[in-house]
Every structure is written in structure tokens, then in C-alpha cells.
């Protein structure tokens, strides 16, 4: 019996193992190998040195962080109150959720195209703002930093909301009632009961959101200025690979991206260590 | 004990959308009393408790503590200002706090000074026998221990009123009886006015000073455990309190002032009625209001008796240790359930003789309340 369950275990795991091996592990190590060699195949750290010594390249890290960190914070800070408000379910929740999922399903290119016309200099939004007299000149929402930031938030906010709603719904609503009967105000209940239990979900959401924003490519190209202020790190990797055909250099950029993401996640996790890390529900005793 | 004389709930109504969850609920609870709301699920008993706690807004009605109106449907004292303690069915312990901090929660909110918190929490944990688990987390202790933490957390704030929402129903049978005993002892010792919600009649009988039986949002009967158990006022209360034999009957004749002859299908049975149960057969004598007779399985005797002898065929026998539960039929049409401590070895298919003491039969008309 034991032997059989071992074999069936392997069979169940096989698709996942194959997937990981061929589509993640192999390409990852191949990329790592490329990044650490030159075009003739000899080991070198030259690719990394070249990236950090060239301000035009190294600056992409800063540009990307400047987009990714505000995007993450804005998305989460908008999503937290909404998820909190909807934690016990409200009327019309399905419709609200549908509207929030749409941006994710439609994809960033579709949204970018929409934004280009809607928010462009002669778009609806600017005409509205000028008609009601808020602005005299059309505001530039596109082809700049603001455009990319907006596109990222439009994608990041519903993603954050859904993740946060999932994690807050997992908190037993009786805990709030208990806190209330023990004398806690709404704020005290939020601060002392909900937030500590929600923190796990919030940090997870923070990390994933950051990673998504940090790897931004289509929005930065379509809505930003890909040759200047929004030349994010993924554009650099793209240009090395498909404009200069230097795959070693391109891989090095990708590895740097990965390292920065890991550093961010580690910082988040270290901050997280301070709080409660167990389940948000108690199992049967 | 307590700093009030009585809690008065007047004409409490609660509707959820179109559904009436609680309908014209009136109740006065004296300080120190242990009152149980007893009813099947969906009877509105938990809703009443949540309304009293201030956790859900009431639709109409008033709740008073002496002369202080804490809720009139428009203005209400919020739950956190009522100083009522509540224990939930799933205990609702804070999973991120250890036992000490769970119990200390209410005191910290009240900004009690640290030494006093430590002392009070330790005292109350002693009281519920939890001192050795003080630094463990709720996830690390058993269900019974979690239950005690929930109680301790509620008691330590010295609530004016303690609200218990089916607190024992998640425990296993043995622990449930132990905790029931402890609850009772705790109530005797501390004298905290308590409202207890349960669907378990045993619990209600064992714990309460008074029981409020509820069904479909309405009070069916209020009384001491003895009153509820032996003189239920309606068919519903009777069936809920263990009168498992309920037969539709016709009135044959009145033999005397309190003796009435009833017909159940082909059976003829004599019932000796207490005053309380006379009015429905009297009313039904002329008209065609449906009448029912109710008898507890344990009141039916096996063997020959002075009256009401019936020969029944045994259908199913359940061995329950001390008692045997027997389902039988008379004339292939009337089901009779009896439980007996008689070591009789009846098998399905056998015919046995039973008799029903006339004074154990209650008679109700259908729409009593």
C-alpha cells in the first residue's frame, strides 16, 4: 500500500515537476549561465559591471522603482478601505467585483489603448476638465510618467482588492463582535483584531503587486516615454536582446531585475516577522 | 448582585428584509437571574441575543435596564458601551493573542493599570482552571479549554449582563455536561445576570431559573424548568419538551369534570385533565377544532394497568443502555413510542400490552398560542 501511494504520488506530481523543470528551472539556469558569460562563452562578470557603470542603464532601476513603489502603495491603500468595507459582503458585490476584474482580464495593452484616446490631449477627460473650468490647458495624462503610473494602478488596484478581500473574508466575523462586546470601538477593533490577522494577506499582496509593477513593459512603452523618463528596466532588457542582439547582456539585466525583486520581498518579510504569523481562524480543538 | 434591578425588553421586533425574525418579544429579567432562550434553529433566539448585545440594530421595540433605555430602535447605546459580556458558539477567541492577552483584551481597552490587569486575569484564569495555559495560543489548546478562555474573557470585565450563544454545542457529550456543571457553579458564585441561548432542552432544564421557549420568532411559553417540563402550554412546547407521542384525537364524552374520553383512530383512551388543559377540549366539543393528545414515551407503562390498556405490536427496539426505546403500532395505524427501564425482551413483531396513566395525558388544540 505504501509503495502504491508513493507511485501514485509521483504520477500526480509529474505534470507540475515537468512544468517546473522545462519551463522554469532550465530557462532560469540557462539565463543565469548567459548572464555570467560573454559572447564567446567564457565566464565573466563584465555584463553586470557594464550595466552598473553605464548611468543610462543603471538609472533604469531607479526609474522602475519610482513607478513600482508608488503603484504598489497607491493600489493597496485604495484597496484596503474598499476590501474592509466589503468584508461581510454587500449588495451588488458581484457587479462591483466584475467591474474590478475586467481590467485584469482585458490586459494592459487594451487599457493602454483606451487611455490614449480617453485621456489624450483631445480626449473626453481633458474636454470635461476644461468645460467645467478646472484647467485651462489640456493636462498631459499620457506619454509621461503619470500615464504609466495610472495604467499600473488601474491594473494593480483590482488585483490588490481581490487578494485583500480574499484574505479579510477569511477572518471570523465573530471576532469583531467579540471585540465590540468587550468594549472596543470600531477603530480599536480594526487596529487590534482585524489588522494583525490581515497583515499576512496584506504583505503577500504588497510583494506580488510590487513584482507585477516592477516588470512593467507594455504600459511603459505605450503610455510613457520609453526612450527617456519611463525607460524601465524591462525595456533595457528588451533592447539588449532584440535591438543589440546581446543575449548575455539582456540576461544579466533580467537577473538584476530578479535580485531587486527578491530584495524587496525580503524587506517586506523581515518587517512582517514582527507580527503574528499564524492562521486567522482557530481549528477545532 | 449587579448594579440594576431588572432588564426589561418591550415589544422587540426584528425583520431581515421581508422576513420577521423576532416578533413582539416581551421579557423582564431580574438581576442575578439565569434565563434561557430555548428553541429550534431559526426560532429567532440568537437574533434576540444579538439585539440585546447591540450587535444588530433592532427594528422596533425598547430595551431598558431599570429606567435607562439602552435601545429604542432609533437611539441605541452601541455594543461597546453596554458592558455586556458575550460568549460565542465558536468562542471567537483572538487567534493572534495568547490566553493571557485574550482575557486581558477588555481590561486593556478599559485602560485598567497593568498590575491590576495581571492580577485580575490571573484570578479569573484560576477560577476557570486555566492557569497552566496562560501563555499558550488559542490554536494550541483544546476546545474545552478554548471555551473556558472565552468565559474568562467575558467574566473578567465584570459585565452587567452575560450573553451566552450556544456556548456548549461545539463540545463533545462528556465535556458538555462537565462545562454545564461549571457554568452553573460559576453563576451561583458570581451571580452575573445571564441570558443563555440553546436548542438543547436538557441544558435549558439543567441551567435555568427560567426558560423562554421560542418558535418562529415568537415566545411560546415562559416559565421555570418544572413548569415548562410538566405543564407545557402548547403543542409546540410539548413536542419540543419530549412529548414525542402526539395523536390527533376526537372527544368522545366527558365522564366527569376533569375526565374525558378520547378516540384515537380505533383506540379509546381516558384522560384525566389538569385545569390548565380543560379549555381546549371544552372549546372543541361543539366545533371542529383539531385536538391533539400528547404523552411522553417514559410515561407509558408496560404490562396490565387499571385503564387505557392497549395491545401493541413492536416495530423497532433501540437499546440505549439504561432504557430501551420502543416504537410500536396499535391497530396498524397509531404509532406509539415508549421508553422503559423494564428489562423486557421484546422483539420486533411481538405483541405486548401497555397502559397509559390517564393523568399523564395532555390535551391541546392546534392553535393554542
Amino acid at each position: 500500500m505504501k509503495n502504491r501511494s508513493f507511485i501514485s504520488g509521483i504520477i500526480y506530481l509529474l505534470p507540475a515537476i515537468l512544468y517546473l523543470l522545462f519551463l522554469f528551472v532550465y530557462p532560469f539556469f540557462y539565463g543565469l549561465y548567459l548572464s555570467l558569460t560573454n559572447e564567446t562563452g567564457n565566464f565573466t562578470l563584465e555584463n553586470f559591471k557594464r550595466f552598473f557603470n553605464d548611468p543610462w542603464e543603471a538609472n533604469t532601476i531607479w526609474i522602475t522603482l519610482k513607478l513600482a513603489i508608488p503603484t504598489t502603495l497607491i493600489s493597496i491603500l485604495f484597496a484596503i478601505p474598499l476590501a474592509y468595507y466589503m468584508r461581510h459582503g454587500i449588495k451588488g458585490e458581484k457587479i462591483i467585483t466584475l467591474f474590478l476584474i475586467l481590467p485584469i482580464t482585458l490586459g494592459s495593452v487594451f487599457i493602454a489603448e483606451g487611455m490614449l484616446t480617453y485621456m489624450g490631449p483631445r480626449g473626453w477627460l481633458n474636454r470635461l476638465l476644461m468645460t467645467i473650468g478646472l484647467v485651462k490647458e489640456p493636462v498631459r495624462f499620457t506619454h509621461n510618467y503619470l500615464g504609466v503610473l495610472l495604467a499600473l494602478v488601474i491594473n494593480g488596484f483590482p488585483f490588490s482588492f481581490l487578494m485583500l478581500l480574499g484574505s479579510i473574508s477569511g477572518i471570523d466575523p465573530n471576532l469583531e463582535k467579540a471585540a465590540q462586546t468587550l468594549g472596543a470601538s470600531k477603530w480599536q477593533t480594526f487596529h487590534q483584531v482585524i489588522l494583525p490577522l490581515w497583515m499576512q494577506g496584506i504583505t503577500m499582496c504588497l510583494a506580488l503587486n510590487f513584482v507585477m509593477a516592477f516588470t512593467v513593459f507594455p504600459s511603459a512603452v505605450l503610455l510613457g516615454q520609453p526612450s527617456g523618463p519611463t525607460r524601465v528596466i524591462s525595456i533595457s532588457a528588451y533592447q539588449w536582446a532584440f535591438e543589440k542582439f546581446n543575449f548575455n547582456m539582456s540576461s544579466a539585466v533580467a537577473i538584476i531585475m530578479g535580485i531587486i525583486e527578491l530584495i524587496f520581498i525580503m524587506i517586506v518579510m523581515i518587517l512582517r516577522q514582527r507580527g503574528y504569523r499564524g492562521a486567522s481562524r482557530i481549528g477545532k480543538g | 448582585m449587579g448594579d440594576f434591578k431588572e432588564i426589561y425588553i418591550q415589544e422587540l421586533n426584528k425583520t431581515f428584509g421581508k422576513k420577521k425574525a423576532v416578533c413582539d418579544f416581551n421579557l423582564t429579567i431580574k438581576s442575578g437571574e439565569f434565563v434561557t432562550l430555548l428553541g429550534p434553529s431559526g426560532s429567532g433566539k440568537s437574533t434576540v441575543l444579538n439585539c440585546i448585545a447591540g450587535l444588530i440594530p433592532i427594528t422596533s421595540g425598547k430595551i431598558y435596564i431599570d429606567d435607562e433605555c439602552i435601545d429604542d430602535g432609533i437611539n441605541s447605546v452601541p455594543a461597546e458601551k453596554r458592558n455586556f459580556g458575550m460568549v460565542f458558539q465558536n468562542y471567537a477567541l483572538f487567534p493572534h493573542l495568547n490566553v493571557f492577552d485574550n482575557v486581558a483584551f477588555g481590561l486593556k481597552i478599559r485602560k485598567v493599570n497593568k498590575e491590576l490587569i495581571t492580577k485580575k486575569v490571573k484570578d479569573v484564569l484560576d477560577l476557570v482552571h486555566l492557569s497552566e495555559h496562560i501563555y499558550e495560543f488559542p490554536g494550541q489548546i483544546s476546545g474545552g479549554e478554548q471555551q473556558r478562555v472565552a468565559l474568562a474573557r467575558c467574566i473578567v470585565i465584570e459585565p452587567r449582563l452575560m450573553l451566552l450563544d450556544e456556548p456548549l454545542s461545539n463540545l463533545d457529550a462528556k465535556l458538555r455536561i462537565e462545562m454545564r456543571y461549571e457554568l452553573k457553579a460559576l453563576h451561583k458564585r458570581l451571580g452575573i445576570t445571564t441570558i443563555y441561548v440553546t436548542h438543547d432542552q436538557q441544558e435549558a432544564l439543567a441551567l435555568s431559573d427560567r426558560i423562554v421557549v421560542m418558535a418562529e420568532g415568537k415566545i411560546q411559553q415562559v416559565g421555570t424548568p418544572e413548569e415548562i417540563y410538566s405543564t407545557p402550554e402548547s403543542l409546540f412546547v410539548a413536542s419540543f419538551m419530549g412529548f414525542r407521542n402526539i395523536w390527533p384525537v376526537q372527544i368522545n364524552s366527558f365522564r366527569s369534570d376533569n375526565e374525558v374520553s378520547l378516540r384515537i383512530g380505533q383506540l379509546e383512551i381516558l384522560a384525566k385533565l389538569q385545569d390548565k388543559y380543560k379549555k381546549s377540549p371544552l372549546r372543541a366539543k361543539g366545533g371542529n377544532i383539531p385536538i391533539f393528545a400528547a404523552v411522553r414515551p417514559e410515561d407509558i407503562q408496560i404490562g396490565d394497568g387499571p385503564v387505557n390498556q392497549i395491545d401493541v405490536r413492536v416495530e423497532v427496539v433501540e437499546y440505549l443502555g439504561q432504557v430501551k426505546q420502543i416504537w410500536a403500532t396499535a391497530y396498524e395505524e397509531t404509532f406509539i413510542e415508549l421508553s422503559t427501564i423494564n428489562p423486557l425482551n421484546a422483539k420486533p413483531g411481538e405483541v405486548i400490552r401497555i397502559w397509559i396513566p390517564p393523568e399523564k395525558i395532555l390535551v391541546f388544540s392546534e392553535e393554542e398560542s
Side-chain angles (χ1 to χ4, degrees):
Chain A
M1 272 313 280
K2 225 177 186 175
N3 210 6
R4 213 178 111 194
S5 69
F6 177 74
I7 291 168
S8 65
I10 293 283
I11 291 171
Y12 283 122
L13 284 175
L14 205 60
I17 291 172
L18 287 178
Y19 166 82
L20 281 174
L21 274 180
F22 289 103
L23 295 173
F24 176 71
V25 177
Y26 175 72
F28 174 76
F29 281 102
Y30 189 62
L32 191 65
Y33 162 78
L34 280 179
S35 73
L36 290 170
T37 51
N38 58 24
E39 277 157 358
T40 52
N42 295 320
F43 174 80
T44 174
L45 286 174
E46 196 49 44
N47 297 323
F48 291 93
K49 281 186 196 148
R50 197 165 160 193
F51 182 87
F52 285 108
N53 286 334
D54 182 351
W56 172 245
E57 297 296 346
N59 205 24
T60 57
I61 296 179
W62 174 233
I63 286 172
T64 319
L65 283 177
K66 240 172 34 184
L67 278 167
I69 291 175
T71 301
T72 309
L73 294 179
I74 292 171
S75 303
I76 288 196
L77 289 179
F78 275 57
I80 283 178
L82 187 66
Y84 175 76
Y85 178 69
M86 286 175 63
R87 67 197 182 285
H88 301 317
I90 56 166
K91 261 187 197 164
E93 188 182 337
K94 282 206 175 125
I95 294 187
I96 296 172
T97 315
L98 178 74
F99 271 103
L100 288 169
I101 294 175
L102 269 177
I104 302 179
T105 35
L106 292 176
S108 43
V109 176
F110 188 88
I111 290 168
E113 294 296 342
M115 279 175 68
L116 280 177
T117 41
Y118 166 65
M119 289 181 176
R122 306 169 123 259
W124 272 74
L125 187 62
N126 266 317
R127 274 194 274 169
L128 179 76
L129 289 177
M130 285 183 352
T131 314
I132 59 173
L134 264 178
V135 292
K136 287 212 173 81
E137 298 278 301
V139 185
R140 276 196 60 174
F141 288 111
T142 53
H143 298 298
N144 58 6
Y145 172 82
L146 186 62
V148 184
L149 186 73
L150 280 173
L152 284 175
V153 171
I154 288 172
N155 273 309
F157 166 71
F159 175 78
S160 309
F161 167 74
L162 289 175
M163 267 194 89
L164 292 177
L165 185 65
S167 52
I168 199 174
S169 309
I171 300 173
D172 177 6
N174 275 346
L175 297 184
E176 272 178 64
K177 290 184 176 183
Q180 244 178 303
T181 57
L182 290 167
S185 64
K186 276 250 153 29
W187 166 247
Q188 285 169 320
T189 306
F190 177 74
H191 178 248
Q192 296 185 30
V193 178
I194 295 178
L195 202 56
L197 295 171
W198 202 8
M199 221 47 216
Q200 183 126 327
I202 293 177
T203 41
M204 188 65 87
C205 177
L206 202 70
L208 287 180
N209 226 309
F210 174 80
V211 169
M212 277 189 8
F214 195 79
T215 55
V216 55
F217 184 76
S219 307
V221 174
L222 293 168
L223 284 161
Q225 290 160 285
S227 55
T230 72
R231 186 171 180 271
V232 292
I233 191 161
S234 56
I235 294 179
S236 161
Y238 168 80
Q239 287 176 337
W240 278 111
F242 300 109
E243 286 173 11
K244 299 173 194 160
F245 299 106
N246 184 339
F247 283 94
N248 303 79
M249 199 50 212
S250 173
S251 299
V253 176
I255 294 289
I256 291 165
M257 277 173 85
I259 289 170
I260 293 168
E261 285 163 14
L262 281 179
I263 291 173
F264 182 87
I265 292 172
M266 267 164 62
I267 293 172
V268 169
M269 292 299 160
I270 287 167
L271 291 176
R272 177 76 197 94
Q273 292 291 320
R274 298 180 183 186
Y276 169 76
R277 278 175 297 136
S280 59
R281 264 177 201 273
I282 305 166
K284 270 189 101 177
Chain B
M1 249 180 89
D3 52 357
F4 62 93
K5 279 204 201 80
E6 60 180 30
I7 291 171
Y8 175 41
I9 301 158
Q10 185 188 31
E11 297 290 314
L12 176 71
N13 279 283
K14 175 70 197 175
T15 49
F16 292 110
K18 277 180 186 156
K19 195 180 163 283
K20 275 211 144 195
V22 179
C23 188
D24 296 335
F25 185 96
N26 284 290
L27 186 67
T28 306
I29 299 156
K30 289 192 198 67
S31 178
E33 215 178 356
F34 195 116
V35 174
T36 297
L37 307 181
L38 174 66
S41 56
S43 60
K45 54 194 193 307
S46 282
T47 309
V48 171
L49 202 74
N50 278 284
C51 286
I52 297 172
L55 292 172
I56 52 178
I58 65 177
T59 307
S60 68
K62 289 187 170 82
I63 303 172
Y64 291 97
I65 294 188
D66 291 339
D67 297 328
E68 176 199 354
C69 180
I70 58 166
D71 208 337
D72 61 5
I74 303 152
N75 300 307
S76 78
V77 178
E80 64 264 26
K81 298 263 160 60
R82 292 192 185 187
N83 197 22
F84 294 172
M86 186 150 174
V87 176
F88 298 83
Q89 184 173 358
N90 66 353
Y91 320 132
L93 298 181
F94 305 124
H96 59 299
L97 301 177
N98 64 24
V99 169
F100 181 94
D101 288 328
N102 258 287
V103 176
F105 188 91
L107 298 173
K108 283 184 183 161
I109 295 283
R110 284 167 177 72
K111 302 215 158 53
V112 177
N113 78 55
K114 262 193 173 160
E115 290 95 71
L116 195 58
I117 290 182
T118 312
K119 187 186 173 307
K120 282 191 169 190
V121 171
K122 289 198 164 151
D123 285 351
V124 76
L125 286 176
D126 267 345
L127 192 69
V128 297
H129 320 298
L130 271 177
S131 303
E132 70 253 51
H133 299 292
I134 187 160
Y135 296 116
E136 282 171 53
F137 282 84
Q140 299 169 315
I141 58 179
S142 73
E145 286 157 356
Q146 289 177 22
Q147 166 73 80
R148 282 168 222 258
V149 178
L151 261 177
R153 185 176 69 176
C154 171
I155 293 166
V156 79
I157 61 168
E158 291 161 29
R160 290 198 282 183
L161 177 65
M162 195 151 88
L163 306 164
L164 307 174
D165 192 358
E166 310 220 12
L168 305 184
S169 58
N170 279 6
L171 300 176
D172 59 61
K174 181 171 171 279
L175 208 52
R176 196 178 309 160
I177 292 171
E178 269 172 41
M179 280 307 296
R180 194 167 85 191
Y181 163 78
E182 277 189 39
L183 260 179
K184 181 126 185 170
L186 213 55
H187 180 253
K188 276 265 167 338
R189 179 157 169 190
L190 303 174
I192 303 173
T193 315
T194 304
I195 305 178
Y196 186 95
V197 162
T198 184
H199 59 262
D200 184 321
Q201 40 139 324
Q202 295 287 352
E203 259 171 40
L205 293 172
L207 285 166
S208 321
D209 294 321
R210 269 194 309 154
I211 296 175
V212 179
V213 183
M214 292 185 69
E216 288 168 359
K218 290 187 191 126
I219 293 184
Q220 304 294 315
Q221 187 174 355
V222 183
T224 62
E226 291 82 1
E227 284 166 355
I228 300 280
Y229 185 79
S230 35
T231 57
E233 275 169 8
S234 67
L235 197 61
F236 172 81
V237 179
S239 77
F240 200 70
M241 296 311 296
F243 285 81
R244 297 177 53 96
N245 291 299
I246 290 172
W247 304 298
V249 295
Q250 265 110 41
I251 309 273
N252 264 350
S253 60
F254 277 84
R255 298 259 183 101
S256 69
D257 178 46
N258 64 350
E259 281 185 323
V260 60
S261 162
L262 306 168
R263 173 173 294 283
I264 309 166
Q266 298 181 50
L267 288 174
E268 208 167 292
I269 278 180
L270 184 72
K272 209 178 262 179
L273 301 179
Q274 302 170 41
D275 287 346
K276 203 175 175 179
Y277 299 104
K278 270 191 228 159
K279 64 175 196 281
S280 42
L282 280 173
R283 235 188 321 150
K285 220 167 137 192
N288 42 8
I289 307 168
I291 296 282
F292 295 88
V295 182
R296 281 210 164 80
E298 56 268 34
D299 287 338
I300 299 177
Q301 308 289 325
I302 288 180
D304 294 324
V307 281
N308 293 347
Q309 292 197 107
I310 312 165
D311 289 327
V312 294
R313 199 180 71 207
V314 177
E315 302 289 345
V316 178
V317 180
E318 248 183 25
Y319 176 72
L320 297 173
Q322 206 185 6
V323 298
K324 272 191 188 129
Q325 196 86 356
I326 298 171
W327 280 269
T329 48
Y331 295 105
E332 310 263 311
E333 56 176 14
T334 307
F335 282 92
I336 299 178
E337 192 181 328
L338 53 142
S339 70
T340 176
I341 51 171
N342 195 326
L344 158 98
N345 209 0
K347 293 204 170 54
E350 274 174 40
V351 173
I352 57 170
R353 173 157 293 181
I354 61 168
W355 71 281
I356 307 171
E359 66 279 6
K360 300 288 190 189
I361 300 171
L362 308 186
V363 177
F364 301 96
S365 62
E366 194 162 62
E367 294 305 324
E368 193 82 40
S369 54

